[in-house]
Amino acid sequence: MSETRIGTIELGRTGEQVSSVALGAMQMGNATGEAESVRILNRYRDLGGSFLDTADCYEWWTKPGSRGGESEELLGRWMRANGNRDEIFLATKGSAMPEYSPDLWNADGTANWDLARRTFAGAGADTLRRALDGSLRRLGTDHVDLYYVHVDDRVTPLEETCEALAGLVTAGKVRYLGWSNVRTWRLERIRQLCDRYGWLAPVAVQQQHSYLRRRAGLSTASIVDDEQLDYLAEHRDLSLVAYSPIVKGVYDDPARRAEHWMMESYAGPDADARIEAVTGLATELGVTPNQLVLSWLMHQSEPPVLPLIGPRTPEQFENLVPALGIKLDAGQLARLDEAGA
C-alpha cells in the first residue's frame, strides 16, 4: 500500500499552490544535527513536500555568543547539494534578532528571554533590508518566496515597515509577504495601508495554533483566538500558517503535558476536556493523538489551516506521517469541535 503524499493548498488568493503541510527548520543546525536534518528534509521532499520555513534568528539562544543563522546556512547547503532551489517554496523571517549583549545569556548558558524581547531588532526599513540581505546570503539564493515580519513591531510606524517590504518585492528579493505574532486589529491596519498606497499586502499570517484553545484570561499576540479565526474566515486572501500545531507533542504524553512550559498557555478545564476528546477518538481510530490533531487541523475550512511542523528528529517526523492519511467524517469532526468546558 502506497503512502499518502503531501497535498497542496492555495496561498491566500494568489493562485500559488504550496504544500498543505510546511516543514519548519528552526532546530536544524543546532538541536538537529546536519545528518539528521538532511534525512528529514529528504524524506519531506520524497513525500511531495516543498514548503520550508526558517528565520534569521534561528537559533541564537542555543549557545552563548551565537547570532543565529545556523538554520538558514544548513538549508542553503542542502539546496546547493541537491540543486533544488527552484523546487522549494522558501520562507524566512526578520525582526526578531535581539541586539547583541553578553547579558542575552544567563550564567548557566540559558537565554535571557526577558532582555531579548526588549531588544528585538524590530521592523524598521533599514533593519529589514539588512536582515533580508543576510538571510539571502546564508540561504545562497537571490530571493525568498515568502518573507515574514517575525514579531510585530509596535514602535516603528507601520507605513515605514510596509513601504520597506514593498520595496523588497519590487527589488525582486521577495515574492510574497507575511506577518507573524500579530493581533487582528494590526492585520487590518496593515491591509488598509497597503490598499491605500498600492503596496503588496501580506498573504500569510503565521500564528501559534492547535486543537487546544488558549486558556481564559491569557493575553498574547501569538496564539490564534476566536476573533482572529473569524477575521481569517472572512479574509481568505490571508492564509493561516499554524506553528506549534501539536504543542511540542503534548497530546501523546501526559507527563510531557504536566511539565512542558508551553502548557501554561492552555492548561485548564477546557484543555482537559479537549485532551479527553482527542485521546478517546484517537484510540478508536488506532492512531496517536498527535496524528489526529494534525489531521484535524488539515480538515479545517473556516478558515483553512496550513500546519507548520517542526520535528527535532527523523523519528518524530515519521511519527507524524500517518496523519496525512487520516480521513475524518463530519460526525468525528463535530465531536472534536464541540469538546470543551
Side-chain angles (χ1 to χ4, degrees):
M1 183 176 177
S2 61
E3 285 183 309
T4 303
R5 289 172 62 80
I6 297 170
T8 62
I9 188 173
E10 185 180 5
L11 181 69
R13 291 295 192 218
T14 64
E16 182 92 37
Q17 292 291 317
V18 298
S19 302
S20 57
V21 176
L23 179 63
M26 183 178 76
Q27 299 181 94
M28 293 184 182
N30 283 295
T32 308
E34 188 102 7
E36 287 199 323
S37 297
V38 167
R39 282 179 59 193
I40 294 169
L41 288 163
N42 289 343
R43 179 73 166 121
Y44 176 69
R45 290 290 292 131
D46 288 345
L47 289 170
S50 60
F51 188 169
L52 301 181
D53 180 276
T54 185
D56 65 343
C57 64
Y58 293 159
E59 289 184 298
W60 68 263
W61 53 90
T62 59
K63 53 183 178 290
S66 170
R67 297 308 289 150
E70 296 94 344
S71 170
E72 291 180 329
E73 290 171 350
L74 187 147
L75 290 180
R77 290 191 294 273
W78 176 76
M79 289 187 292
R80 285 192 297 276
N82 289 274
N84 62 3
R85 170 64 186 94
D86 291 343
E87 302 169 5
I88 301 300
F89 189 87
L90 183 60
T92 193
K93 317 178 196 74
S95 77
M97 175 65 79
E99 178 183 341
Y100 178 77
S101 166
D103 295 331
L104 279 174
W105 297 271
N106 300 310
D108 62 359
T110 60
N112 180 348
W113 281 105
D114 179 63
L115 176 61
R117 293 186 180 97
R118 288 188 279 111
T119 58
F120 281 151
D126 289 341
T127 300
L128 288 176
R129 285 190 284 264
R130 287 194 301 270
L132 178 61
D133 284 345
S135 290
L136 295 177
R137 183 177 64 255
R138 289 185 290 271
L139 290 162
T141 186
D142 62 357
H143 75 282
V144 293
D145 299 290
L146 177 60
Y147 193 60
Y148 292 97
V149 173
H150 198 166
V151 176
D152 188 31
D153 178 358
R154 301 274 285 267
V155 176
T156 302
L158 273 176
E159 291 88 343
E160 177 183 340
T161 299
C162 292
E163 184 176 22
L165 292 170
L168 298 177
V169 174
T170 301
K173 297 180 178 182
V174 173
R175 294 180 61 214
Y176 300 109
L177 298 169
W179 232 272
S180 186
N181 302 297
V182 60
R183 293 191 182 274
T184 306
W185 69 267
R186 291 277 290 179
L187 279 175
E188 178 60 19
R189 185 167 294 179
I190 291 160
R191 289 162 54 87
Q192 289 179 3
L193 282 171
C194 291
D195 182 64
R196 180 186 309 165
Y197 293 108
W199 297 327
L200 187 68
V203 299
V205 56
Q206 187 177 135
Q207 299 285 91
Q208 188 171 322
H209 184 55
S210 185
Y211 176 64
L212 294 183
R213 298 178 287 213
R214 70 184 196 177
R215 62 175 171 78
L218 180 69
S219 178
T220 176
S222 297
I223 303 177
V224 174
D225 59 12
D226 288 345
E227 180 185 25
Q228 196 157 78
L229 286 174
D230 182 61
Y231 183 87
L232 293 170
E234 289 290 322
H235 298 88
R236 297 293 284 273
D237 53 333
L238 269 174
S239 284
L240 173 57
V241 179
Y243 74 83
S244 297
I246 58 169
V247 195
K248 305 298 184 182
V250 298
Y251 295 97
D252 281 2
D253 188 347
R256 192 167 178 80
R257 286 198 297 276
E259 68 184 18
H260 203 285
W261 62 266
M262 282 193 73
M263 279 302 295
E264 294 175 7
S265 298
Y266 301 100
D270 187 70
D272 294 342
R274 302 280 271 189
I275 290 288
E276 183 178 358
V278 80
T279 301
L281 182 56
T283 299
E284 294 173 22
L285 296 176
V287 301
T288 70
N290 282 339
Q291 292 165 358
L292 181 56
V293 166
L294 188 58
S295 175
W296 177 82
L297 287 165
M298 296 173 68
H299 277 76
Q300 299 307 296
S301 60
E302 295 296 328
V305 177
L306 198 165
L308 169 62
I309 60 172
R312 184 179 56 81
T313 66
E315 291 74 23
Q316 288 179 356
F317 181 87
E318 292 300 333
N319 287 339
L320 293 177
V321 170
L324 300 173
I326 298 173
K327 304 300 182 186
L328 301 175
D329 62 32
Q332 291 164 335
L333 289 169
R335 177 174 162 187
L336 293 173
D337 292 342
E338 293 166 7

